[in-house]
């Protein structure tokens, strides 16, 4: 008997499916109509038949001026949404002139230290027309407030701003590591952001609960869904405990998933995730607004599956991954550039990545119908199997006291590391094929010239910070930072209004983060991490 193929999550894929595979399948209960509970077929009735998904490109490197030039190129090429990559010091709440930032300024994203940098980053871009996603977590609040302040200078009120901050700190403790504060204080800051945006930025997505980074660290599709939704439950509980009504903040929750080359399981994953989240929100949290039950998500193609060997092959991988995201019903999509396994993408590579989405949207027939896989024997079977496995793993997190307690026990991290190790062994042994790496290799690779970041950027950024500190009213800045510390010491005052005032007075993002460090301390991981 031939061995049965398995998914990335280790679930069996029957070689042939028929009506017996779905014996007892209740299409009305499991599928429903598009745009209606349980949202398996998509969160909107018409999905892409009215207009395609938002095509985002993730960009940001070097200085704010260089990144601004790339954004103008992307907008001119047809990008409807910008996704901002920040450098590592910015992600960790340090200014470019902090000693710990040395050697990392502008390397993996743009350096943003103050309102001056944010002003330059978005100069000439219509902030009332573009949707901006910022990949920022621990310092999400100051970066969002800087964006709001710059928009106000352009005459765009907060009520007209659309976009997303990632703001998902729990996955940082699990898979990525750019956390600052202890979990309890981080969750306090997140609930303050929820409340502030409900009042001031009603169109803004206050969090993008991310499975992507866990997947990049080695999580299977089942783990990606389960740990992401377990984290989401923790955020909902935190907001409710802070006095917010679930239907006041839940419609602005959004999610962020990966799209791998394993097309069928990825489509099943997205469909199952929608169904699970709808049930959690309705049955566990009592959400009555259908928008609170919708799992709206952004997708990025799998960076971890890009190869430095024969990088042009990545164009094929990205096309397959983008196809899976679209067939799975994503609301927005970023397609990776083929050269990102080597360095920051060149302008040509970034344009080709965008063109990949445009070919899917405008040259295929996928936008003509909603959820074309609905009713497929194999797809409905895989969706059910993935849903059951994810629910079992979500319960395992709940049994440990919820996402935070499970994180403190090292549960999610250990599970993901075991999966990553298994995949590495499969690649090394040849059991898992990676074209150009362990099969169909070339004797000699072609020379590729990557985009390089000028090391002089750090010097320029330090000089700008020195000028800023010499020009501003430092006494007013320090008083504003003291007000922020006072709000952080209490439990009832939202920290974002005093933070906004400090940033308006040209306090830096690093100074704001340090003010909170003074009160809340920093997270020190346990040995199990």
């Amino acid at each position: 008997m031939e061995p049965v193929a398995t998914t990335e999550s280790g679930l069996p894929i029957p070689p042939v499916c028929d009506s017996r595979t779905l014996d007892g399948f209740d299409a009305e209960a499991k599928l429903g109509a598009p745009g209606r509970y349980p949202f398996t077929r998509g969160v909107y009735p018409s999905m892409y038949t009215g207009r395609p998904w938002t095509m985002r490109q993730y960009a940001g490197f070097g200085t704010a001026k260089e990144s601004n030039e790339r954004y103008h190129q992307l907008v001119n090429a047809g990008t409807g949404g910008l996704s901002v990559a920040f450098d590592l010091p910015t992600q960790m709440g340090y200014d470019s002139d902090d000693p710990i930032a040395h050697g990392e300024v502008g390397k993996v994203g743009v350096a943003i230290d103050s309102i001056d940098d944010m002003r330059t980053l978005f100069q000439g871009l219509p902030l009332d027309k573009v949707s901006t996603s910022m990949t920022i977590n621990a310092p999400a609040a100051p970066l969002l407030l800087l964006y709001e302040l710059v928009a106000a200078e352009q005459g765009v009120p907060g009520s007209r701003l659309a976009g997303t901050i990632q703001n998902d700190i729990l996955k940082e403790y699990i898979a990525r590591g750019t956390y600052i504060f202890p979990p309890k204080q981080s969750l306090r800051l997140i609930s303050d952001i929820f409340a502030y945006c409900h009042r001031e930025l009603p169109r803004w997505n206050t969090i993008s609960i991310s499975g992507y980074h866990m997947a990049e660290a080695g999580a299977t599709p089942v783990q990606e869904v389960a740990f992401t939704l377990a984290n989401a439950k923790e955020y909902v509980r935190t907001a409710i405990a802070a006095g917010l009504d679930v239907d006041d903040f839940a419609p602005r929750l959004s999610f962020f998933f990966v799209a791998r080359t394993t097309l069928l399981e990825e489509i099943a994953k997205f469909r199952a995730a929608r169904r699970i989240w709808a049930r959690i929100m309705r049955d566990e949290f009592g959400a009555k607004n259908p928008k609170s039950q919708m799992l709206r998500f952004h997708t990025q193609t799998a960076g971890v599956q890009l190869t430095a060997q024969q990088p042009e092959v990545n164009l094929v991988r990205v096309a397959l991954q983008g196809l899976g995201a679209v067939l799975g019903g994503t609301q927005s999509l970023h397609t990776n550039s083929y050269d990102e396994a080597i360095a920051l993408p060149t302008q040509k590579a970034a344009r080709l990545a965008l063109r990949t989405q445009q070919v899917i949207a405008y040259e295929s027939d996928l936008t003509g119908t909603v959820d074309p896989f609905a009713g497929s024997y194999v797809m409905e079977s895989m969706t059910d199997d993935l849903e059951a496995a994810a629910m079992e793993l979500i319960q395992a997190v709940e049994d440990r006291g919820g996402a935070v307690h499970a994180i403190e026990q090292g549960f999610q991290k250990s599970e993901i590391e075991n999966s990553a190790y298994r995949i590495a062994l499969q690649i090394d042994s040849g059991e898992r094929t990676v074209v150009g790496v362990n099969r169909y290799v070339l004797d000699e690779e072609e020379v590729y010239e990557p985009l390089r970041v000028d090391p002089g950027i750090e010097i320029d950024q330090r000089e700008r910070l020195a000028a800023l500190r010499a020009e501003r009213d430092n006494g007013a800045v320090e008083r504003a930072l003291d007000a922020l510390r006072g709000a952080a010491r209490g439990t009832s005052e939202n920290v974002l209004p005093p933070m906004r005032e400090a940033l308006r007075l040209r306090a830096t993002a690093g100074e704001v983060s340090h003010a909170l460090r003074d009160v809340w301390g920093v997270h020190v991981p346990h040995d199990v991490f």
Side-chain angles (χ1 to χ4, degrees), residues 324-345:
V326 170
L327 288 167
T330 192
Q331 275 58 72
S332 69
L333 175 62
H334 163 81
T335 34
N336 290 326
S337 301
Y338 73 88
D339 53 358
E340 285 187 56
I342 304 170
L344 289 168

Side-chain angles (χ1 to χ4, degrees), residues 168-179 183 209-219 223-232 234-235 397 402-417 523 525 528-529:
D168 175 11
I169 200 63
L170 293 181
K171 67 96 172 51
E172 296 294 325
Y173 301 119
I174 293 171
R176 196 159 172 272
T178 63
Y179 47 72
I209 307 161
S210 174
Y212 181 88
H213 301 92
M214 291 186 277
E216 292 286 282
Q223 291 171 337
E224 180 189 2
V225 170
F227 294 151
T228 301
L229 299 189
N231 286 350
E234 197 79 44
Y235 295 131
V397 173
V404 170
H405 290 297
I407 287 168
E408 291 171 345
Q409 296 166 44
F411 174 65
Q412 300 97 319
K413 191 170 189 289
S414 175
E415 291 289 300
I416 291 169
E417 286 173 349
H523 177 65
V528 293
F529 282 21

Side-chain angles (χ1 to χ4, degrees), residues 474-519:
N474 286 298
V477 168
E478 191 52 45
R479 288 190 293 274
L481 292 172
D482 279 339
L484 173 60
R485 293 184 187 99
R489 288 189 191 97
T491 57
S492 59
E493 185 180 354
N494 192 309
V495 298
L496 268 73
M499 186 186 296
R500 180 179 59 188
E501 178 61 13
L503 292 165
R504 186 188 68 80
L505 293 167
R506 300 176 80 192
T508 67
E511 289 167 341
V512 163
S513 295
H514 280 308
L516 293 178
R517 283 184 179 96
D518 292 342
V519 179

Side-chain angles (χ1 to χ4, degrees), residues 299-480:
T299 311
Q300 182 172 336
T301 56
V304 74
Q305 291 187 317
L306 300 178
T307 64
Q309 299 92 330
Q310 302 180 43
E312 293 83 359
V313 177
N314 293 328
L315 286 165
V316 181
R317 294 187 177 103
V318 169
L320 276 173
Q321 294 160 0
L323 193 63
V326 170
L327 288 167
T330 192
Q331 275 58 72
S332 69
L333 175 62
H334 163 81
T335 34
N336 290 326
S337 301
Y338 73 88
D339 53 358
E340 285 187 56
I342 304 170
L344 289 168
T346 59
Q347 182 180 340
K348 179 180 180 181
R351 185 172 61 247
L352 282 170
L354 177 60
R355 294 289 182 256
T356 302
Q357 294 198 51
Q358 291 165 337
V359 168
I360 294 172
Y362 301 113
E363 293 191 24
S364 81
D365 55 5
L366 293 181
T367 58
T369 188
V370 177
D371 189 22
F373 273 91
S376 155
Y377 295 135
V378 68
M379 184 52 60
E380 300 304 350
S381 174
M382 292 179 72
T383 301
D384 283 357
D385 288 348
L386 198 145
E387 178 186 10
M391 286 301 301
E392 184 177 340
L393 195 50
I394 289 171
Q395 188 57 51
V397 173
E398 292 292 292
D399 291 344
R400 287 163 174 79
V404 170
H405 290 297
I407 287 168
E408 291 171 345
Q409 296 166 44
F411 174 65
Q412 300 97 319
K413 191 170 189 289
S414 175
E415 291 289 300
I416 291 169
E417 286 173 349
N418 288 337
S419 296
Y421 182 61
R422 174 176 57 83
I423 290 168
L425 289 179
Q426 290 172 349
I427 294 171
D428 288 346
S429 68
E431 179 184 348
R432 176 186 295 257
T433 295
V434 181
V435 173
V437 175
N438 61 6
R439 288 185 73 182
Y440 314 113
V441 299
L442 295 177
D443 293 333
E444 186 176 337
E445 292 285 338
E446 296 178 15
V447 176
Y448 173 82
E449 186 59 38
L451 179 70
R452 302 190 185 279
V453 176
D454 182 0
I457 286 169
E458 182 174 337
I459 298 170
D460 295 341
Q461 199 71 10
R462 291 169 70 94
E463 289 175 351
R464 278 192 289 275
L465 277 168
L468 176 143
R469 292 191 172 105
E471 295 165 2
R472 70 186 184 184
D473 184 339
N474 286 298
V477 168
E478 191 52 45
R479 288 190 293 274

Side-chain angles (χ1 to χ4, degrees), residues 8 31 52-53 69 86 166 179 205 212 220 250 257 420 468 489:
E8 292 282 291
L31 299 182
W53 58 94
E69 291 168 357
F86 297 97
Q166 195 162 100
Y179 47 72
N205 296 318
Y212 181 88
T220 66
F257 293 112
L468 176 143
R489 288 189 191 97

